[in-house]
Amino acid sequence: KIPVDYILTFMRLKMSEINGAKALRPAEEELDTLKASKEEAEKMDENDRMDEDENEDVDEEDHNDETVPMAVMKPGWVFHGNIENPAPIYTICVHPDGTRFATGGADSRIKLWSTGPLKRLSQHDVEYDQKPSEKKSVQKEYKLLAELTHHTRPVNCLKFSRDGKLASGSDDKSVAIWHKLGISDLSFSSFSQAPSVENWTCKTILRGTTTEVHGVTWDPSSRRIASCHVDNTIVIWQAQTAQQLRVLRGHKGWVTGIEWDPKGRYLASQASDGMLMIWNVRD
């Protein structure tokens, strides 16, 4: 038998627990409510801060737009072929010093242009629907620095080296290396019929491939050139001697682009096979 005192003591303890639980329940519910309110307030504060940051970004962009207006330019004086019937431009490359850029086109020519007029040109100077006769009157204000005529087929790719040499690749299956001679006079205004402002000469021709050239790039030292071709290959050349150093094979489709890493150790290539490849091309 269980002693009566034990039973009474047990019942008193149970009643205390029940009463304590009843007393604690409202406090716990109030605490949960407070926590929910605090979390909701924190979310609202965070949303307000995000809105303020976005407004500040918009204000900053508006301020920048006011101080440095962005202009979309379409200079009609940059063209290939005939100005009334221009030829397609396939490639463009900017010189490392930013003073000139080169374009290559379906007319098999390379043209070098001064960037000075572009820097001075404002939105109000550009008329996209100019008639050919109107374009001619504007042409004389802008500078064609040189026109290079070695290639016999369309020029697909151009690339300046760090020291200012120009490499060009063409459908005529050759890569040409161009050097600028003498001192240019960028203050002289030149049009296509006028003498070249700058004197560029073709120093080296890289031959030995049997397919069209679709990309060229210089290594950081300006000593090597890589070219990519329609036969799915990449050729690495010694620029000064025109020697083929190696031929890289691995792509299943024609190679559409190549680029060296800043240290000259690796070469990245992309191709129509949908693959990107990294090649170890250390000396």
Side-chain angles (χ1 to χ4, degrees):
K1 294 181 179 180
I2 300 174
V4 176
D5 292 339
Y6 182 85
I7 293 173
L8 293 174
T9 302
F10 178 79
M11 292 177 66
R12 282 196 299 269
L13 291 172
K14 274 295 181 184
M15 291 300 294
S16 299
E17 291 177 2
I18 292 171
N19 292 334
K22 288 180 179 179
L24 288 173
R25 191 173 295 114
E28 291 174 350
E29 291 176 354
E30 184 177 357
L31 183 60
D32 291 339
T33 303
L34 290 172
K35 287 183 178 178
S37 300
K38 184 179 179 182
E39 291 175 356
E40 185 176 356
E42 289 176 351
K43 288 181 180 178
M44 292 177 65
D45 291 340
E46 184 176 356
N47 291 335
D48 291 340
R49 284 195 298 271
M50 292 176 64
D51 291 339
E52 290 175 1
D53 292 340
E54 289 177 359
N55 291 334
E56 288 176 1
D57 292 340
V58 171
D59 292 340
E60 184 176 353
E61 291 174 1
D62 292 341
H63 179 70
N64 290 338
D65 288 343
E66 291 175 1
T67 55
V68 185
M70 298 297 292
V72 178
M73 302 180 191
K74 187 180 177 183
W77 45 272
V78 176
F79 69 96
H80 278 249
N82 187 288
I83 194 168
E84 278 82 13
N85 187 24
I89 296 176
Y90 289 151
T91 181
I92 185 171
C93 186
V94 180
H95 192 279
D97 66 10
T99 60
R100 58 183 65 79
F101 64 97
T103 56
D107 59 353
S108 309
R109 307 215 170 183
I110 302 166
K111 293 187 176 185
L112 289 107
W113 311 85
S114 170
T115 58
L118 292 176
K119 295 174 183 177
R120 294 189 294 272
L121 195 63
S122 69
Q123 266 184 314
H124 303 292
D125 295 324
V126 182
E127 294 184 15
Y128 290 84
D129 299 322
Q130 285 178 316
K131 297 177 182 178
S133 59
E134 294 174 342
K135 287 183 181 179
K136 287 179 181 178
S137 64
V138 177
Q139 274 289 333
K140 297 178 181 179
E141 300 176 9
Y142 302 103
K143 301 182 183 73
L144 174 66
L145 302 179
E147 189 168 341
L148 315 181
T149 59
H150 164 76
H151 289 293
T152 59
R153 299 284 304 278
V155 178
N156 298 318
C157 47
L158 297 167
K159 190 73 171 183
F160 282 106
S161 65
R162 287 187 176 181
D163 59 3
K165 296 188 291 288
L166 179 64
S168 59
S170 169
D171 278 350
D172 64 11
K173 306 173 187 178
S174 72
V175 175
I177 301 177
W178 305 83
H179 293 232
K180 186 171 79 70
L181 305 178
I183 301 175
S184 63
D185 178 11
L186 297 183
S187 63
F188 179 78
S189 180
S190 174
F191 184 46
S192 58
Q193 281 78 24
S196 293
V197 180
E198 296 182 348
N199 185 15
W200 288 74
T201 183
C202 184
K203 284 284 189 179
T204 310
I205 303 295
L206 308 180
R207 297 188 184 277
T209 60
T210 59
T211 58
E212 295 86 346
V213 184
H214 272 259
V216 291
T217 185
W218 292 85
D219 81 338
S221 69
S222 301
R223 295 196 304 265
R224 292 178 296 169
I225 292 178
S227 59
C228 59
H229 302 265
V230 178
D231 62 356
N232 312 342
T233 64
I234 301 164
V235 181
I236 299 179
W237 312 79
Q238 212 287 335
Q240 186 172 2
T241 64
Q243 177 188 0
Q244 277 193 22
L245 300 178
R246 64 178 75 174
V247 179
L248 307 178
R249 294 181 173 88
H251 281 294
K252 304 296 183 183
W254 58 286
V255 186
T256 58
I258 46 176
E259 192 62 58
W260 242 293
D261 83 297
K263 297 291 186 181
R265 299 173 181 173
Y266 301 98
L267 185 73
S269 61
Q270 63 184 33
S272 60
D273 58 9
M275 297 294 293
L276 171 71
M277 301 186 73
I278 307 297
W279 308 82
N280 187 339
V281 291
R282 301 185 188 190
D283 288 331

